[in-house]
Amino acid sequence: MRGTVIARSGDQLDVKSREGSVVTIKLKEGWMASGVAAASIGDIKPGDYVGIASLPKSQGGDGALEVVIFPPAMKGAAEGSFGWDLKPNSTMTNATVSNAVKSVEGSTVTVTYHGQEKKIAIPTGTPVVTLTQATADDVKAGAVVFVVAEKDADGKLSSGRLVVGKNGVVPPM
């Protein structure tokens, strides 16, 4: 779920989705929020654990749509490469950077996950962020959020974790 918080009351979060509908998400007991802070391609180092949303490029390989540099404690979380809903045909690759190559046109990183390797071009201007601390107080009307939610048998959504925009930086994922 990507959108803007309309209201938060107790464990209920109302979000206007990027498609324009209003969605209610039940926040699970003990839920946590992370913020995002601006980073740059130059901040990506070998050994970092990253999440890169990307699209196949016409000339081959993948081109990044956005990059999240995860804190070291999250290394290995949701590791792999899988379909993503940021744009049609996009994928999310959560993996460890094995090397980073910089050029005039941007950068290319090689990431590894589950014994596989993938090269992803990161064009200049691609949003790059890192996760920071956030509190429940940051999750307020007007804040931009990214929420991975679960849908129960009745179609109701719930979540124990979300990412919230802070200080003018919004979650690009």
Side-chain angles (χ1 to χ4, degrees):
M1 170 63 50
R2 297 167 182 86
T4 303
V5 174
I6 296 171
R8 182 177 63 83
S9 178
D11 67 354
Q12 182 172 307
L13 180 66
D14 294 325
V15 176
K16 183 173 183 179
S17 74
R18 66 180 178 176
E19 295 80 18
S21 61
V22 175
V23 179
T24 298
I25 302 166
K26 181 184 185 309
L27 298 172
K28 296 177 182 179
E29 187 172 333
W31 67 277
M32 297 179 66
S34 294
V36 286
S40 72
I41 292 172
D43 294 327
I44 302 168
K45 307 281 188 273
D48 283 348
Y49 191 67
V50 296
I52 304 175
S54 62
L55 282 172
K57 297 188 325 181
S58 60
Q59 63 270 38
D62 279 9
L65 299 169
E66 59 85 12
V67 180
V68 177
I69 304 169
F70 292 113
M74 291 186 69
K75 191 167 191 162
E79 184 176 38
S81 190
F82 40 87
W84 196 241
D85 66 346
L86 186 59
K87 289 192 175 185
N89 301 317
S90 65
T91 58
M92 174 59 74
T93 303
N94 292 338
T96 301
V97 176
S98 54
N99 68 38
V101 178
K102 295 182 170 93
S103 69
V104 174
E105 296 82 34
S107 297
T108 299
V109 295
T110 303
V111 294
T112 56
Y113 57 93
H114 301 300
Q116 297 182 29
E117 185 175 276
K118 185 174 185 178
K119 290 182 188 267
I120 303 173
I122 305 175
T124 301
T126 299
V128 180
V129 298
T130 188
L131 297 181
T132 62
Q133 291 184 332
T135 68
D137 291 339
D138 294 314
V139 184
K140 59 188 173 197
V144 177
V145 292
F146 171 77
V147 185
V148 177
E150 301 167 7
K151 189 181 286 189
D152 69 14
D154 295 329
K156 294 180 180 175
L157 298 175
S158 65
S159 180
R161 186 167 192 89
L162 61 86
V163 179
V164 61
K166 290 180 66 173
N167 303 319
V169 181
V170 298
M173 64 282 277

